[in-house]
Amino acid sequence: MDAQHDGSAGAAADGAPHELTGGDLGAGLGERATLVQFSTAFCQPCRATRSVLADVSGMVDGVAHVEIDAESHLDLVRRLDVLRTPTVLVLDSAGRITRRAAGRPRKADVIAALGAAVAD
């Protein structure tokens, strides 16, 4: 995704990729992939990001969009090193982070990142 890519995919301190579960997200993972958006209440770009991710998840079967209030989930924000909102994570079907970006993404970039996650 183009919007200030902030790391290859997101890895733990030991270099292993982060994996997220439905319990981490407070929602089920998508059958094929999940788009995770970290937002805050007064974040203007978060509204536009929500619209883009909802459109893309609606276009592709088996893809879920989960929005997380960063202020209410500080433990997860710290664990994943989320530094600004919006931050978008693309998870594969197993919950592994395959892509992450900060800032408002372009629809074409989300589709491309999602295609790579589904293909893996």
Side-chain angles (χ1 to χ4, degrees):
M1 290 185 304
D2 193 54
Q4 290 192 358
H5 183 65
D6 66 358
S8 61
D14 62 5
H18 280 297
E19 287 188 20
L20 298 174
T21 65
D24 292 324
L25 303 177
L29 295 173
E31 183 181 316
R32 298 177 68 200
T34 306
L35 300 171
V36 179
Q37 174 184 348
F38 284 89
S39 300
T40 51
F42 299 105
C43 166
Q44 193 66 31
C46 293
R47 292 183 183 106
T49 299
R50 179 183 310 120
S51 177
V52 168
L53 298 183
D55 284 351
V56 172
S57 66
M59 291 170 31
V60 184
D61 288 336
V63 175
H65 170 219
V66 177
E67 187 169 3
I68 296 174
D69 177 18
E71 294 169 326
S72 298
H73 295 85
L74 291 176
D75 55 332
L76 191 57
V77 165
R78 287 184 190 107
R79 184 172 124 205
L80 298 173
D81 199 29
V82 173
L83 302 176
R84 62 182 276 205
T85 58
T87 289
V88 177
L89 308 177
V90 179
L91 310 181
D92 66 11
S93 61
R96 289 182 298 263
I97 299 171
T98 62
R99 237 12 196 194
R100 70 181 284 154
R104 189 178 84 184
R106 295 180 319 158
K107 191 174 189 175
D109 294 329
V110 175
I111 292 168
L114 190 57
V118 170
D120 288 346

